[in-house]
Each structure stands twice: as structure tokens, then as C-alpha cells.
Amino acid sequence: MVQITLTKLSVAPHIGHLYSLVLADILKRWAVLQGKRAILCTGTDEHGMKIQQAAQKAGQDVHSFCDSSYKAFDLLAQKANIDRDHFIRTSDPDHRFAVQHFWVSRISLGKPLGVEANMQKYILKERGYVYTAKHEGWYSISDETFYPESAVRLTLDPSTGRKFMASIETGKEVEWTSEDNYHFHLSAFKDRLLEFYESNPNFVVPSTRMKEVIQHVAAGLEDLSISRPVERLNWGIPVPDDDSQTIYVWLDALVNYLTKANYPFQIPGQEDAAGWPADCHVIGKDIVRFHCVYWPAFLMALDLPLPRQILAHAHWTLGRSKMSKSVGNVVNPFFALNRFGVDTMRYYLAHDGGIKDDADYENAYIIMRYKKGLQFGLGNLSSRLLRGKKWSVREAVQYSAECKDAIKIEKAAKGDESGTLNQDTKHHARLIALPNTVAQKMNDLDPGAALQAIMETIYQVTPSSSPAHSRLPHPTDNPPPPKTNTYMHQAAPWGLVKSTPSNLAQLNKIIYLCAESLRICGILLQPYMPSKMAELLDMLGVAPDARTFQDAVVGLDSRYGEPATELGKGYDGVLFPPLRSES
């Protein structure tokens, strides 16, 4: 199961939301490509004071506000071709049930929530993890969290000259609050959390954020307020048996990860039938503390299994500045999808998006990636290969199947007598190694690096806009095998004459290796560009049942080569035609 953090309805969809969706969708489709059962969950976080105030500002009833606002995020997932299985709304009845059950456990299993009070027990409270007390501190409505004195400072708004207290971490305004509510004994989990991190060093990706989490917990944890007085927050889920309190919005929201996993797992022996524990949560780096500290502690308190990994990706900037609604530099994802196309945007976000470091969004970067990688990379190679008049891809595939010794690969690892390899063998070796290279990077939760490894088989990839992907070659590096476009250009199959057996063999070898490059890369690129890669594999004539990760092996498929779709002429039928607008 892959799960994306829920989106707050108080903001409109932006490019960061689309990036999270695309990353999670790539991971889900990758699992499916490998033949695994996979579930993708996304949705909207609809409770809390921020939503309550946004509805008031809009002049709407809060229920009506949520019922209309969630549709934009649902539509974004549809537009971006996100293969989600569940769209969760925290205002839905099944989520409310999961949250209240998380708070309450029954002695008598199988009894519905709300039966006799003496049949209920508060597990967290019974175990000493929940208590009531007065809570005083700095509260941020925007961040929906309390901050200690050490985490706030006096801030000046340069545009108005107004001074206010704000979170050092996020810059959001905070207000002093004093109230009676429920607390979670978070400090009791310090040692247990540190032991878990030590036993699971890859729990948080990238490793830099794992280190930050460990440092935060090691410095000591304060107990956490997990409810708000109903007179201050009435839009949320009530604390069971205490209508004067509303469950803390982050506790409410985090339980969404269990909602569609059929929590409270009432069928013995089938606790993991619906996908829990999740294989991966996909979140932004700004909510690491909630997901990597609070959430594991909540689960530990109830002896529930923890998610296996959390991918905390970096943010997008514009002009190297943080995107902000107040500044007016937020990128509308719908405009981007409509202008550049769904698969182009999926490709760009995955290619240039940062996991460790922030990436800078720019239309010029999208156009550059499209022209170099897609139009003149994949597109050019597919047109040259499949529209060639002097050869037949089907004949080349058949020839290879009949002449297993046509392409020698025995020397791929050790070189020939002179210590060098011919270009055919080098290219063949690259194709053999590619699937495992990609699989390793995907296992490392780095879809961007995996994508670049695939594209490097097609054309010379330039560093992305993100520092995380930049690497200049070292003088001692061995020269890489030629890219397929370069290989085809240097091999010049159009100059070979079919009249001699040796030329025919060489011609078929070149065409076959180029076709295998397209076939294997097309299979591996399906999680990134599902629609375009379906087109490419149809153009190659690859059967629908031969498009799995297991099929991405050189020489495995001898059935393809006859197009299953019209190839067209000129720009008609081109896989990646010129962009309509390049400004």
C-alpha cells in the first residue's frame, strides 16, 4: 500500500500537491509492474480550525464548504491519471468510526461503538498514555499545532510594519493559548522511538531527514495536546464520551492511513488483508515531525504495526523563492497539465523534482526536458526506427530469435583481447544491466534517479535543475556506453546494403538492439508516462501481456515488431510532436 498525506481544503491545489500525487502513483504503478498487489490512497483533510475559519471567510456552512472544496483535489488526481484506489475524506463516516475506535477500544470484541459505557475502556488512558491537564503554549492555526517557547520568535511583517509571534520553523503566526484538554504522553516514547530508528535506518527517506528526526527525538520530547475545547473547535470528531472536547486535527488526520485498511481489523488473522502496514507514506518535508515522530508513537501506544517507510520529499520553488499564495507565485497544476500535457508534466516532475533538496520550477525547464528527452530522445528514436524504409523491425526481431549467436555478450564483463568492447556488445550490456539498476533506485525510493537511468539509455541526460541530481563526470570515469540515438547514428544502418549476408546480419543486429532499447525502456517508463508508453509499445507491436517488469529482458520477447497502431506520416502519429507553445 502507498499512501499520500491528505491535503488541507483551506488552500487551492498547487504544484506541490501534484508532485506528491505523481510520486505516489509512480511507486504504486511500479509495484504493479512487478506483479505485486498495490493500493494507492489519497484524499482531503477536512477538519480543524483552519477549515472552520476558511468556511467562515467564504461565507459558507462548513459542511457545504468541504463538500464543494474537495472536488478540486479529486479532479486533480483524475486529470493527472493517478491510479488511486481510495479517495478519503476525513468527514466521511467510515473515517470518523476509525478515529473514534483508535481512541476507544472495547473489552467485548465485536460490539459496535456506543454500546454500554461499562463495556468500553480507553486504551491510551488505561495504559497511562492519556491524561487531562491545562495546556498553555503558542498555537498556530495555520500549522494546526502547538509550539514551545523555544520554537517561536517575534517577527516583523515588512509590508505592514506589524509585529507578531511566529513559528521559527514555518514562519506562521502563533497565538498564546491556555485551555484544558487531553494530552498524550509522547515523552514516554523517546527511547522506544530511538530504538526503532536504530533498527530501521531507512524508515525515513532521504537519510538527511532520518538524521534530523533522530536528533529531534534524542533532544527530548514534550507531551502532546491531542484535543481542543469544543467552544474553540467544533468542526472535527468529538472525543468519545466527552462532548466538550474535539480530537486534535493531526491525530484525526493521521488515522486516515488506517481508514481504508479496514481498521480496526476485526477479522482475526486478516489484519493485513487491506494493505496495512503501508509500504510507504509519501509526504512533504514540512510535516516530517507529525509523520515520523507523532504517528509512530501513536501506533506504538496501541501495539499497531508501523508503516515500513516514509518518503519525505523536498519542495518546489519559483525563481529560487518559496511559493506563497500571498506573494502570488503559486503554480496552478491544472494550467500546467492543460498546457504541456499529462505525461509531459509527470515526466518533468519526476525528472527534476527534489527528494533531498528543493527544485526550481520553470516553464523553460519543462520545454527543455520535453525537447531533449522526449521529442528528440524517445520520439526521434521511435520515428527513425519504426518509419525506416530500408529495414523491417519485425525481420530484425525474427532474425535475432533465429540466430541466438548474432549478438555476442560473453565479453561484456571482461572485455575482448584488446581490452575494449565493440559498440554492439557495449550497448547490449547496457540493456542487460538497466532493469536491475532501475529496480535498485526504485527500492531506494528515488523515482527521479530511476527515470534518469532509463533516459540515459536513450540520450545524453543533462543535470536537472535540482542540486540533488547534479553530478559532473570525473576525469577517471570510464566512458559510458553510447546512448541508443548515438549508437544508431554511429552504426548508420541506412548505409548498409541488404545484398550481402554480412551486411544483412549487421543491419538486423543494429535494428534489433535499437528496438530492444525502445521496448525495454518503454516497459520501464510505464509508471511515469502510462498513456504515452502504451502508445509506444503499441507502435512496436508489443503484446499487452508482455509489458511487465519480468518482460524487460533482452531477447525475451520474439513476438513484437509489427505495429499494432497506425504509424502515420510527418507529424501525424509522432509520439512526441512539437509543443504548441514554447514561450
Side-chain angles (χ1 to χ4, degrees):
M1 177 183 282
V2 179
Q3 299 174 311
I4 314 170
T5 183
L6 299 186
T7 306
K8 271 289 183 186
L9 290 186
S10 54
V11 295
H14 56 67
I15 204 68
H17 297 135
L18 179 58
Y19 182 45
S20 293
L21 285 169
V22 168
L23 282 180
D25 189 57
I26 289 169
L27 294 175
K28 188 263 176 93
R29 290 178 184 270
W30 175 256
V32 173
L33 190 71
Q34 292 182 304
K36 300 175 182 177
R37 177 172 175 263
I39 301 169
L40 175 58
C41 301
T42 183
T44 46
D45 176 7
E46 303 185 3
H47 289 144
M49 192 173 291
K50 190 158 43 170
I51 306 300
Q52 195 171 289
Q53 291 185 349
Q56 292 172 350
K57 185 177 181 180
Q60 289 183 269
D61 168 79
V62 68
H63 288 274
S64 301
F65 176 81
C66 291
D67 286 343
S68 60
S69 298
Y70 92 91
K71 294 177 182 177
F73 296 93
D74 190 23
L75 180 62
L76 180 61
Q78 295 177 43
K79 286 274 190 181
N81 195 11
I82 304 302
D83 187 22
R84 80 286 178 73
D85 299 273
H86 302 293
F87 188 93
I88 301 165
R89 298 180 61 194
T90 58
S91 60
D92 285 341
D94 60 343
H95 176 71
R96 179 189 181 106
F97 173 80
V99 171
Q100 291 193 316
H101 191 281
F102 195 82
W103 191 288
V104 178
S105 177
R106 295 172 299 285
I107 296 174
S108 178
L109 294 178
K111 294 233 183 237
L113 191 67
V115 297
E116 308 151 18
N118 61 359
M119 295 297 292
Q120 299 180 351
K121 63 175 181 179
Y122 294 82
I123 346 185
L124 295 179
K125 195 169 184 179
E126 179 181 284
R127 297 181 182 186
Y129 297 139
V130 168
Y131 60 93
T132 56
K134 179 178 288 294
H135 188 91
E136 293 185 330
W138 295 99
Y139 187 78
S140 167
I141 294 175
S142 179
D143 298 334
E144 301 275 19
T145 190
F146 280 96
Y147 287 104
E149 191 73 37
S150 59
V152 300
R153 65 184 174 194
L154 186 64
T155 302
L156 176 69
D157 184 343
S159 62
T160 64
R162 175 174 168 264
K163 294 181 180 180
F164 59 93
M165 297 299 292
S167 161
I168 297 174
E169 180 183 354
T170 66
K172 301 297 183 181
E173 185 169 357
V174 297
E175 59 183 21
W176 182 258
T177 302
S178 177
E179 59 192 32
D180 292 316
N181 51 29
Y182 288 95
H183 290 67
F184 175 66
H185 198 17
L186 180 65
S187 57
F189 289 87
K190 173 184 173 182
D191 292 340
R192 192 170 169 185
L193 283 168
L194 291 174
E195 289 172 7
F196 174 79
Y197 300 148
E198 184 176 3
S199 301
N200 299 271
N202 298 318
F203 176 61
V204 182
V205 175
S207 59
T208 51
R209 275 188 264 289
M210 180 78 261
K211 292 177 182 177
E212 291 169 359
V213 168
I214 293 172
Q215 290 172 356
H216 174 79
V217 175
L221 297 172
E222 294 186 358
D223 288 353
L224 181 68
S225 170
I226 55 172
S227 71
R228 303 294 310 279
V230 71
E231 61 268 16
R232 291 193 173 175
L233 175 63
N234 55 42
W235 178 237
I237 299 175
V239 170
D241 283 355
D242 188 352
D243 292 338
S244 70
Q245 295 280 319
T246 302
I247 294 175
Y248 174 51
V249 66
W250 267 106
L251 174 56
D252 168 358
L254 287 166
V255 175
N256 97 85
Y257 295 123
L258 295 171
T259 299
K260 294 303 180 182
N262 290 335
Y263 179 77
F265 317 130
Q266 292 176 324
I267 303 176
Q270 296 187 27
E271 289 81 5
D272 61 348
W276 191 262
D279 293 290
C280 183
H281 291 341
V282 178
I283 68 170
K285 67 177 184 179
D286 55 321
I287 51 177
V288 165
R289 177 162 44 96
F290 302 97
H291 285 78
C292 306
V293 180
Y294 299 171
W295 182 226
F298 290 149
L299 293 169
M300 286 175 176
L302 299 186
D303 294 327
L304 291 174
L306 275 59
R308 294 186 176 93
Q309 283 188 292
I310 296 177
L311 172 58
H313 62 75
H315 291 165
W316 285 90
T317 58
L318 191 65
R320 300 295 175 185
S321 297
K322 182 180 179 180
M323 292 189 189
S324 169
K325 182 179 178 180
S326 60
V327 176
N329 65 344
V330 176
V331 176
N332 186 316
F334 292 105
F335 292 171
L337 291 168
N338 290 336
R339 177 179 178 183
F340 296 110
V342 172
D343 278 0
T344 299
M345 285 304 300
R346 291 173 61 103
Y347 173 83
Y348 167 69
L349 293 173
H351 191 287
D352 277 27
I355 299 297
K356 177 184 175 184
D357 300 304
D358 291 348
D360 203 46
Y361 184 95
E362 174 59 57
N363 286 339
Y365 295 150
I366 302 173
I367 294 168
M368 178 184 69
R369 294 296 173 211
Y370 182 86
K371 294 177 74 171
K372 288 188 175 182
L374 301 182
Q375 184 182 355
F376 298 136
L378 275 172
N380 183 53
L381 179 61
S382 63
S383 293
R384 295 169 82 188
L385 180 71
L386 297 172
R387 293 182 174 186
K389 302 296 184 182
K390 296 184 178 182
W391 56 76
S392 163
V393 173
R394 179 61 195 150
E395 286 182 16
V397 173
Q398 286 177 316
Y399 178 82
S400 176
E402 294 166 1
C403 306
K404 294 296 183 182
D405 295 332
I407 302 173
K408 301 291 186 181
I409 63 172
E410 294 87 350
K411 297 177 181 179
K414 58 186 178 182
D416 59 22
E417 293 177 359
S418 64
T420 60
L421 295 169
N422 64 50
Q423 296 302 304
D424 297 338
T425 308
K426 282 184 177 180
H427 196 71
H428 195 281
R430 173 191 281 276
L431 294 180
I432 291 173
L434 180 61
N436 286 336
T437 299
V438 173
Q440 181 57 56
K441 295 183 184 302
M442 291 298 287
N443 290 340
D444 293 339
L445 297 184
D446 196 346
L451 174 58
Q452 293 193 32
I454 300 169
M455 295 306 295
E456 283 172 353
T457 304
I458 302 298
Y459 83 113
Q460 183 63 50
V461 178
T462 55
S464 76
S465 61
S466 169
H469 295 145
S470 301
R471 180 189 181 274
L472 296 176
H474 190 274
T476 60
D477 287 350
N478 292 322
K483 318 304 178 187
T484 306
N485 269 310
T486 303
Y487 166 76
M488 188 174 187
H489 180 76
Q490 292 175 344
W494 41 83
L496 295 172
V497 181
K498 287 187 177 182
S499 58
T500 64
S502 61
N503 278 1
L504 177 60
Q506 182 62 17
L507 173 66
N508 282 326
K509 183 191 299 184
I510 295 167
I511 298 306
Y512 177 67
L513 281 175
C514 291
E516 281 292 83
S517 292
L518 277 179
R519 182 183 72 86
I520 292 171
C521 288
I523 289 172
L524 297 175
L525 285 170
Q526 289 177 101
Y528 298 89
M529 298 179 286
S531 297
K532 283 295 183 180
M533 291 308 99
E535 289 182 37
L536 174 59
L537 295 173
D538 283 346
M539 291 167 71
L540 285 166
V542 178
D545 64 353
R547 301 181 181 187
T548 70
F549 178 77
Q550 289 72 26
D551 295 305
V553 176
V554 179
L556 186 64
D557 188 354
S558 60
R559 298 180 295 164
Y560 76 100
E562 289 288 350
T565 186
E566 194 67 41
L567 296 180
K569 296 181 180 179
Y571 287 139
D572 182 29
V574 170
L575 187 61
F576 292 103
L579 290 170
R580 289 175 293 177
S581 172
E582 294 188 8
S583 59

